[in-house]
Amino acid sequence: MCPAGDDPEVTELYDLRVSVEKIDGRSVCGLRVGDHFELTESSRLRIPDGRHFCVYALQAVLPLLPAKQRELAPGDWMAKDSMIACPDPDERLIMRVERIGKRAIPTGDLT
């Protein structure tokens, strides 16, 4: 059996956690340092029960997540950069994207 990385029928993707790293302004949306969501199984967004995540902060980070889910070249800036700023200038909220696991998903199951 060949490893998933060599199997065209399997795609390896990282599960991600996006966490509020710091807030240097006032948190208008109610997020706190440590609030987070996870992106797992390619497209499943999970927010802990009883918590929320601001849609404006979410829209700032969403375009970068597909790249962070994949293996990147060592010199690629996305491999090194994991901090994203919310667009609200009053909040000055910074989020961190981290890889929390890797899974092999049948390529046919991906959209």
Side-chain angles (χ1 to χ4, degrees), residues 18-35:
V18 177
S19 304
V20 176
E21 180 81 8
K22 69 179 182 172
I23 303 171
D24 286 337
R26 61 185 185 103
S27 182
V28 178
C29 67
L31 287 177
R32 303 180 302 223
V33 171
D35 282 346

Side-chain angles (χ1 to χ4, degrees), residues 52-68:
H52 73 283
F53 212 87
C54 172
V55 296
Y56 301 106
L58 186 60
Q59 67 87 23
V61 73
L62 280 178
L64 304 173
L65 297 182
K68 296 298 266 185

Side-chain angles (χ1 to χ4, degrees), residues 8-78:
E9 300 298 316
V10 175
T11 301
E12 287 186 330
L13 294 175
Y14 288 98
D15 290 341
L16 305 174
R17 177 177 292 129
V18 177
S19 304
V20 176
E21 180 81 8
K22 69 179 182 172
I23 303 171
D24 286 337
R26 61 185 185 103
S27 182
V28 178
C29 67
L31 287 177
R32 303 180 302 223
V33 171
D35 282 346
H36 69 278
F37 69 85
E38 292 181 354
L39 179 61
T40 64
E41 301 163 70
S42 169
S43 62
R44 296 186 182 188
L45 191 90
R46 293 187 167 87
I47 300 171
D49 287 343
R51 297 303 305 150
H52 73 283
F53 212 87
C54 172
V55 296
Y56 301 106
L58 186 60
Q59 67 87 23
V61 73
L62 280 178
L64 304 173
L65 297 182
K68 296 298 266 185
Q69 287 179 302
R70 288 164 172 71
E71 200 65 51
L72 299 167
D76 191 316
W77 71 270
M78 285 292 290

